[in-house]
Amino acid sequence: MTSQTLVFSMDSQMLERIEQKFREKVVFAEGRKDKLFHVFGQELTEEETWALKYLFAYMPVNDLADYDGELFLSHVRRTLDTRKRVPWGDRVPDHLFLHFVLPYRVNTENIEDYRGILYNELAERTAKLSMADAILETNYWCHEKATYIGSDLRTISPLTLIRNARGRCGEESTLAVAALRSIGIPARQVYTPRWAHCDSNHAWVEAWADGQWYYIGACEPEARLNQGWFSPPARRAMLINTRIFADYPGPEDITLNEKGFTEINLLENYAPARTIRIQVRDVQGEPVAGASVRFELYNMAEFYPIAEIKTDEQGEAAFKTGYGDLLIRAVSGGRWNETLFKAQDGECVELVLDSSEQPAGIVDFDMVPPPEGEGEAAIALPEEKIRDHNRRLEEGAKTRSEYERTFPSEEEAFALAHKTELSPERVWDILRKARGNSREVAAFLEGRSSEYGEWPLRLLESLNEKDLIDTCRQTLDDHLIGALSQRGQWAEETFAKYILCPRVSYEMVVPYRSLFQNAYSAGEAAAFREEPSKLARLLEQGYTHYEDLPNLKGKGNPAGTYSLMKGDLQSLDILFVAVCRSLGIPARLHPSEQKPQYLVDGGWEDAVFSLGSPRIQESSGWGMLQLLRDSEAPQDAPAASYAENFSLARLEDGVYKTLVYPYGSTDVYDEPYEVELGAYRLTTGIRLKDGTVSVRFLYFTVRAGDTTEVVLTYRETVVDIPVLGKLATGSVLTRLDGSEVVLEDLLESAGSIAAWIEPEREPTKHLIRELSELAESFDQLGMPIVLVIGDAEWNVSFDPAGYPRLPVRTVFVRDSSYASLSGFIPKPAGHEAGYPHLFVLDSRDQIRYTASGYKIGTGKEALQIAAAISQFSNGSE
């Protein structure tokens, strides 16, 4: 040790640990040493030196590969300077500063030098506020910048989210954490990995103020802290956690701590919790150390491990979770066992690893989520504060809408299309999706179409929608010019999809074509085209396998992976595909198995890597799986929809790995699935109104030379449609044209659906999306759908014309004070759950179904009840 000073209140032992980890990273990242560590040659203060060493010591492999040292030095200097400038800088303890202010990464986003940009936006707005009020003010600012929309798994950066003005909850919370940290307030992103009572998940933010952690809904401000629409569902969670890139000592419960990465369990802050203790033994009764214990929830038709914990030397593992059911599976050395852990069971479980082959036949069981619970009664806010809050929401929505109006219009897109001689509809589709990045995309089209014709547009169309908002012209040029130089004799569709397209998985799209084309001689490239397996062998020989953090696997970009030549297996797979495409070799990740393949003689061949991982083995070959309809299924059985009510998983190293197919795919009987040979499990599930799932496992094996036929079946369920009350239909509402209408006049004798909504909030956006996706089925019923919005919630960002895919009989009306709801929301749970409040009514205006607040699947439940009601005669069963 060279320093005895307690920098950041770190004792000598901690300083030594950081120094050791830093030195290990310097050796590990030898291939990028000059790019990463040359910044230590600059004149640095002691604080800057140790802050940099701290970041490098716990830096994920992908970040060592993808970014340069100047980015991290700039981040450190800005963060340390901010700490001196903000009024609460000296009140934030060093350990909170290190773990929740200094870190540059929040989620899996692309890292950018944004601290100064966000500080300049927020410093003056928050300088005279308390820390608690500064948190609220920061969230109002986030609301001005972005609102919710569902999207794919890649997490966009804070600056990209601002450019796009919308994103999913994981991206909104990434922005909010980044903004709070940028003004020196400790903040962390909080996740429930999967809900137990409905599908999907959610992310929000915790921020620290004067000795206490508070929570907020990112980009969805409330008038006070510790309030959000997700509070009621969070009380039914089975895990709520956050991830920290450090050896974090607590005081919170630690679920996982390895490789300088800590996952802490925050469930007790939100929901009732208890600890399950697992004992894993072998067939001789001896404890099994190092066994993987997976705690799995049913969600999106698969069993997802919300936590995976290794057993200690005594073969024990402990997990703090909620009062719901879990499927617990222990795996070690090719043997496993699992048990369905029911909420009412004791807290100790013993699993004997006595299985090496999967079961046979069908297994039925129920998965019951934690029950609904009541929260603490909140003190009513003064009317003045509520009015001020509503005004801020309106102003924020207006600010965001004004920004969105700067995006190119359809007329501008058509003008560009005319100038470039491209299809107006296709150009408009691209620019509409590019949103805040549309000027960059338009410049690329205008600059390259005269020389390359339709190919610049084809390149843009090959990207995911999210790529269009954060891919710059330099990157597009690299891929366009580099791909067309390798055009060869491939058919246009093959070339566009498997050579031109730069996107491989969910990595950041960066320029890599020229890099890889210059990396190999003409002779080497020709040899790889002749025999792509030679490229696989070459990459494998130079690659060091290192399994990094689970959520960052496969998120590094190919250029970074190549420069470091170290990382996880998914990154190597992506690198192989990217190099192939750069050299004119059609390549892909298999659509369901996600394994790298290249095209040879009209067929796909596996690129097999053997890096000492149990995942890597010689391919066992491919077979065909044909799903068959259940000829004996009851009339009300659900229509098969992948990842919504069924999924397929292959047994791999003792764990069932879910096959990747598009969410909501319904053409599941049309063609056989091409799958690897092996043991499989078909999971089907029907979720009931209380969140319970009726699950069915069907086990089968796919063998070489056969087409395996499997009947897709669901458990039979009974739909309960009791009379829950009667809706008062005499309320006077306002049509869009300003005329008054009585609610009763909007309803019909065949039954109706009415919902009181807040269009600015995520729960309502989920409901509108579901109604849109089910439009055809609702249209067949012919029921009116009345969506009621309060005056305060009808802000400038809401336009009914923005929802063209809703059922044709949908009507929007205004209700000045939501007075028409009085007395009909279930109490107290419904009131606290908040909007939307949805009711399915029969011909007598009797309530036969109601749902309040956030619940994925409400649209399908309402459709199911509405369909049953439509069969009633005059409202009687």
Side-chain angles (χ1 to χ4, degrees):
M1 282 296 302
T2 59
S3 172
Q4 300 301 314
T5 306
L6 295 182
V7 186
F8 300 119
S9 302
M10 294 188 289
D11 59 27
S12 58
Q13 186 178 2
M14 186 174 181
L15 290 172
E16 288 174 5
R17 184 164 64 248
I18 290 172
E19 182 70 29
Q20 179 184 350
K21 287 181 174 292
F22 169 70
R23 293 298 169 193
E24 290 171 356
K25 288 295 174 68
V26 171
V27 173
F28 181 86
E30 176 68 28
R32 301 197 72 240
K33 184 175 181 179
D34 292 342
K35 293 285 188 182
L36 288 167
F37 307 115
H38 69 285
V39 292
F40 287 96
Q42 299 186 31
E43 184 175 339
L44 304 175
T45 68
E46 189 176 34
E47 275 195 331
E48 289 171 346
T49 299
W50 281 104
L52 263 178
K53 286 185 175 183
Y54 175 86
L55 292 182
F56 279 119
Y58 297 108
M59 190 171 290
V61 174
N62 287 346
D63 295 349
L64 291 168
D66 293 349
Y67 307 103
D68 294 343
E70 285 90 349
L71 174 64
F72 303 118
L73 177 58
S74 175
H75 172 88
V76 162
R77 283 177 166 165
R78 170 60 72 170
T79 304
L80 292 175
D81 181 64
T82 296
R83 192 182 194 190
K84 297 172 184 175
R85 292 175 180 270
V86 294
W88 43 79
D90 58 356
R91 303 208 304 270
V92 175
D94 282 341
H95 76 279
L96 290 179
F97 175 80
L98 285 174
H99 294 117
F100 302 111
V101 177
L102 179 61
Y104 59 87
R105 174 174 290 288
V106 180
N107 195 309
T108 59
E109 74 279 10
N110 182 47
I111 304 304
E112 298 169 327
D113 192 5
Y114 58 74
R115 284 271 163 115
I117 297 171
L118 301 189
Y119 173 85
N120 291 337
E121 288 269 326
L122 288 162
E124 189 174 341
R125 285 177 65 154
T126 58
K128 297 181 180 179
L129 301 177
S130 67
M131 286 188 80
D133 285 341
I135 295 168
L136 293 173
E137 183 63 30
T138 299
N139 208 19
Y140 282 120
W141 176 85
C142 291
H143 170 67
E144 296 168 12
K145 300 302 179 184
T147 189
Y148 176 82
I149 188 173
S151 61
D152 68 34
L153 296 176
R154 185 166 72 88
T155 301
I156 58 177
S157 70
L159 297 184
T160 298
L161 180 61
I162 292 171
R163 185 185 309 122
N164 193 47
R166 62 189 190 187
R168 57 177 169 80
C169 61
E171 293 160 339
E172 291 178 305
S173 50
T174 296
L175 170 62
V177 169
L180 289 163
R181 290 178 178 177
S182 292
I183 55 171
I185 294 178
R188 57 198 186 193
Q189 184 182 57
V190 178
Y191 254 106
T192 177
R194 292 291 188 275
W195 295 113
H197 67 286
C198 69
D199 287 336
S200 196
N201 61 358
H202 190 53
W204 58 93
V205 172
E206 287 188 348
W208 184 92
D210 298 317
Q212 184 175 344
W213 286 98
Y214 300 90
Y215 68 83
I216 58 173
C219 302
E220 294 182 316
E222 300 286 353
R224 58 183 162 201
L225 299 173
N226 287 349
Q227 184 170 312
W229 60 258
F230 52 88
S231 298
R235 289 197 292 274
R236 305 184 73 184
M238 294 292 284
L239 174 65
I240 293 173
N241 63 4
T242 192
R243 293 167 171 150
I244 302 161
F245 298 95
D247 290 316
Y248 181 69
E252 301 90 345
D253 287 310
I254 295 173
T255 303
L256 179 68
N257 189 346
E258 57 182 35
K259 296 182 179 178
F261 168 78
T262 307
E263 187 175 282
I264 59 176
N265 190 339
L266 304 170
L267 182 64
E268 281 187 315
N269 296 347
Y270 299 87
R274 44 88 177 269
T275 299
I276 303 174
R277 304 187 185 281
I278 312 298
Q279 174 72 62
V280 180
R281 299 185 183 277
D282 60 23
V283 290
Q284 285 79 37
E286 296 298 319
V288 179
S292 174
V293 182
R294 295 162 58 93
F295 299 87
E296 300 179 343
L297 271 183
Y298 178 94
N299 191 287
M300 299 182 72
E302 69 169 341
F303 276 82
Y304 180 88
I306 57 172
E308 187 170 354
I309 300 174
K310 300 288 187 181
T311 54
D312 60 18
E313 291 300 318
Q314 288 73 45
E316 297 176 351
F319 177 52
K320 183 168 287 185
T321 187
Y323 284 84
D325 296 351
L326 285 169
L327 193 65
I328 303 176
R329 187 176 184 89
V331 183
S332 179
R335 303 186 75 85
W336 63 84
N337 201 344
E338 71 179 6
T339 185
L340 175 61
F341 183 84
K342 305 297 290 183
Q344 64 271 21
D345 292 345
E347 296 185 346
C348 295
V349 178
E350 181 175 291
L351 290 173
V352 178
L353 304 183
D354 58 4
S355 298
S356 58
E357 295 183 4
Q358 74 169 4
I362 293 175
V363 177
D364 292 344
F365 58 96
D366 290 342
M367 289 290 292
V368 181
E372 292 183 0
E374 295 184 20
E376 296 181 4
I379 300 173
L381 290 171
E383 283 296 322
E384 181 181 355
K385 188 161 189 176
I386 294 174
R387 284 195 301 271
D388 182 64
H389 171 66
N390 289 334
R391 177 185 59 80
R392 297 295 304 276
L393 292 179
E394 176 74 13
E395 289 175 351
K398 183 178 180 181
T399 298
R400 188 174 63 250
S401 295
E402 289 174 349
Y403 164 67
E404 290 178 296
R405 281 195 286 273
T406 67
F407 298 168
S409 65
E410 186 174 9
E411 290 75 20
E412 291 176 282
F414 279 28
L416 175 63
H418 177 75
K419 188 174 184 179
T420 56
E421 299 182 352
L422 296 170
S423 163
E425 291 76 15
R426 290 167 63 192
V427 170
W428 169 233
D429 183 58
I430 289 295
L431 295 189
R432 176 180 58 84
K433 293 173 180 175
R435 293 174 62 78
N437 195 43
S438 52
R439 306 291 178 189
E440 185 87 351
V441 170
F444 167 71
L445 281 175
E446 185 173 356
R448 294 301 181 186
S449 294
S450 59
E451 182 178 358
Y452 297 104
E454 192 182 63
W455 285 115
L457 182 58
R458 292 284 295 271
L459 170 63
L460 293 168
E461 290 173 334
S462 76
L463 297 171
N464 290 348
E465 184 169 336
K466 193 176 284 186
D467 297 331
L468 297 173
I469 62 174
D470 65 359
T471 304
C472 65
R473 185 175 177 181
Q474 175 192 2
T475 299
L476 294 170
D477 280 343
D478 173 81
H479 289 293
L480 175 71
I481 298 167
L484 290 175
S485 71
Q486 307 295 320
R487 175 79 168 82
Q489 302 301 312
W490 298 106
E492 280 196 7
E493 286 304 311
T494 298
F495 172 75
K497 193 170 184 180
Y498 302 116
I499 295 179
L500 177 67
C501 177
R503 155 76 50 228
V504 181
S505 180
Y506 290 108
E507 77 285 357
M508 180 74 184
V509 175
V510 299
Y512 60 70
R513 304 264 180 178
S514 57
L515 169 67
F516 296 146
Q517 288 169 358
N518 292 326
Y520 305 104
S521 67
E524 287 174 318
F528 296 152
R529 294 187 196 100
E530 181 70 23
E531 194 174 342
S533 61
K534 290 183 177 179
L535 173 61
R537 298 284 73 78
L538 180 66
L539 292 177
E540 177 186 60
Q541 290 167 12
Y543 194 81
T544 300
H545 171 216
Y546 183 89
E547 285 299 316
D548 205 352
L549 310 182
N551 66 320
L552 284 173
K553 289 182 180 180
K555 297 300 193 298
N557 72 68
T561 301
Y562 180 78
S563 66
L564 191 65
M565 288 305 287
K566 291 182 174 70
D568 60 84
L569 294 168
Q570 289 169 254
S571 295
L572 176 58
D573 294 345
I574 292 168
L575 172 61
F576 172 78
V577 173
V579 176
C580 280
R581 292 182 181 179
S582 299
L583 301 180
I585 305 166
R588 69 175 188 180
L589 297 184
H590 185 274
S592 63
E593 299 290 344
Q594 299 295 289
K595 292 185 177 180
Q597 296 182 316
Y598 52 87
L599 192 63
V600 175
D601 298 327
W604 290 102
E605 293 288 334
D606 295 338
V608 180
F609 298 106
S610 53
L611 293 169
S613 167
R615 191 209 79 169
I616 299 301
Q617 52 191 344
E618 290 298 323
S619 175
S620 57
W622 297 86
M624 305 303 292
L625 167 64
Q626 179 67 63
L627 295 180
L628 304 176
R629 297 180 188 275
D630 181 7
S631 60
E632 300 179 1
Q635 186 176 359
D636 60 352
S641 178
Y642 197 82
E644 193 170 9
N645 55 38
F646 89 95
S647 66
L648 297 162
R650 187 182 68 258
L651 185 62
E652 189 175 282
D653 301 320
V655 172
Y656 282 98
K657 176 187 174 185
T658 301
L659 305 190
V660 179
Y661 292 109
Y663 175 83
S665 299
T666 56
D667 56 345
V668 301
Y669 306 111
D670 296 350
E671 299 289 340
Y673 291 86
E674 181 188 50
V675 297
E676 280 197 290
L677 307 181
Y680 284 82
R681 184 179 74 191
L682 167 66
T683 299
T684 65
I686 298 176
R687 195 178 288 277
L688 307 180
K689 187 177 184 299
D690 68 353
T692 297
V693 185
S694 298
V695 180
R696 169 164 290 172
F697 283 163
L698 190 155
Y699 298 95
F700 61 93
T701 301
V702 176
R703 296 183 173 85
D706 292 333
T707 295
T708 303
E709 296 184 339
V710 175
V711 179
L712 182 56
T713 65
Y714 296 85
R715 292 175 61 191
E716 191 169 349
T717 58
V718 177
V719 179
D720 184 23
I721 47 176
V723 175
L724 301 173
K726 191 166 184 177
L727 196 68
T729 57
S731 304
V732 178
L733 308 171
T734 305
R735 297 180 188 270
L736 297 187
D737 61 8
S739 62
E740 291 187 343
V741 62
V742 178
L743 177 58
E744 185 176 16
D745 293 340
L746 298 173
L747 309 178
E748 290 197 357
S749 59
S752 309
I753 295 173
W756 281 253
I757 66 175
E758 285 182 320
E760 189 69 19
R761 300 280 183 166
E762 181 176 336
T764 289
K765 292 182 179 182
H766 280 296
L767 175 62
I768 290 177
R769 176 183 56 80
E770 291 180 20
L771 293 176
S772 299
E773 291 172 350
L774 298 167
E776 183 178 350
S777 297
F778 277 112
D779 289 343
Q780 290 173 358
L781 287 179
M783 281 188 180
I785 299 176
V786 182
L787 301 181
V788 187
I789 307 175
D791 285 346
E793 288 70 30
W794 194 293
N795 57 53
V796 292
S797 70
F798 175 68
D799 180 4
Y803 302 98
R805 298 174 60 193
L806 281 166
V808 294
R809 299 209 61 196
T810 302
V811 58
F812 288 92
V813 290
R814 301 175 73 152
D815 177 2
S816 61
S817 62
Y818 285 130
S820 56
L821 260 184
S822 178
F824 298 102
I825 308 172
K827 296 183 178 182
H831 275 281
E832 189 186 5
Y835 298 91
H837 298 289
L838 181 142
F839 303 89
V840 179
L841 311 174
D842 62 20
S843 59
R844 298 176 180 175
D845 298 329
Q846 296 178 126
I847 302 170
R848 310 306 293 269
Y849 170 88
T850 179
S852 293
Y854 172 89
K855 184 183 177 187
I856 303 298
T858 295
K860 284 212 166 184
E861 289 182 357
L863 175 63
Q864 188 178 24
I865 300 298
I869 288 174
S870 70
Q871 300 175 21
F872 295 173
S873 174
N874 297 320
S876 61
E877 299 179 40

